[in-house]
Amino acid sequence: MSSLVVLVGNPRGGSRTHLAAVAAAEEVGRRIGHEAPPEVVDLSGIGPHLFTPGPSPTVEVALELVAGAQVLLVASPTYKATYTGLLKAFLDRLPGGALTGTVALPLLVMGSPRHALAVELHLRPVLVELGALVPTPGLALLEAEIPDLDRVLADWADRVAAQVTGALERRATA
């Protein structure tokens, strides 16, 4: 089936964002027939390499993995009502059109429902600008929902799986 990649833009390793992102990708993956665990690009481990001059093999491998994904779940905590600067720095390293044909699923973890629109107003546009197909609304996950993560993600995956499958089918015939 399709390659499924998770991109985690949290500067802290082992974060709730990482946990939620991998679980979300697994939920969607099961529904679209992708049983293998998703591949994960965790920017907390490569962050320092993003800001050094010159090429970094670690960053290049991560960029290739993200650009080669058929389904890409992009997750970040909400910082200052948007996604992290770390995620932005990584996405800025992708050339224009690098995600053409990739089906992208944006996810933001937030402390307050006041930031619920950030996933649509900030994260979706940068993915579209890079060429990704974003066939579903992004997931705005409240930190307060994390104790009930399995139910929240199952409900979300039930709603979006058909759209992801349809986008993958359109991608295959394009």
Side-chain angles (χ1 to χ4, degrees):
M1 183 65 204
S2 63
S3 67
L4 179 57
V5 176
V6 174
L7 175 60
V8 181
N10 196 316
R12 289 185 302 110
S15 66
R16 291 175 293 199
T17 304
H18 185 280
L19 171 82
V22 171
E26 289 171 347
E27 283 292 332
V28 169
R30 279 191 287 276
R31 284 162 178 78
I32 65 170
H34 189 276
E35 295 298 326
E39 296 187 71
V40 179
V41 174
D42 187 343
L43 297 182
S44 69
I46 67 172
H49 302 285
L50 284 172
F51 301 103
T52 57
S56 163
T58 304
V59 173
E60 295 306 314
V61 167
L63 289 167
E64 287 176 21
L65 187 60
V66 166
Q70 289 178 309
V71 177
L72 176 66
L73 189 135
V74 180
S76 174
T78 304
Y79 279 19
K80 310 284 189 217
T82 189
Y83 53 90
T84 63
L86 181 61
L87 179 58
K88 176 69 167 133
F90 180 82
L91 294 174
D92 282 350
R93 301 282 294 265
L94 289 167
L99 298 181
T100 298
T102 299
V103 177
L105 301 169
L107 184 157
L108 286 180
V109 177
M110 55 200 62
S112 170
R114 294 182 316 224
H115 299 131
L117 289 178
V119 70
E120 295 300 320
L121 296 176
H122 300 294
L123 189 50
R124 173 189 291 272
V126 74
L127 298 172
V128 170
E129 176 65 24
L130 289 167
L133 304 168
V134 186
T136 70
L139 177 58
L141 179 66
L142 291 169
E143 289 175 1
E145 294 176 307
I146 291 177
D148 199 19
L149 190 61
D150 290 342
R151 182 196 57 76
V152 171
L153 293 179
D155 291 347
W156 172 76
D158 286 342
R159 287 191 314 271
V160 304
Q163 294 154 314
V164 172
T165 300
L168 286 170
E169 289 170 355
R170 285 189 300 279
R171 177 187 187 273
T173 60

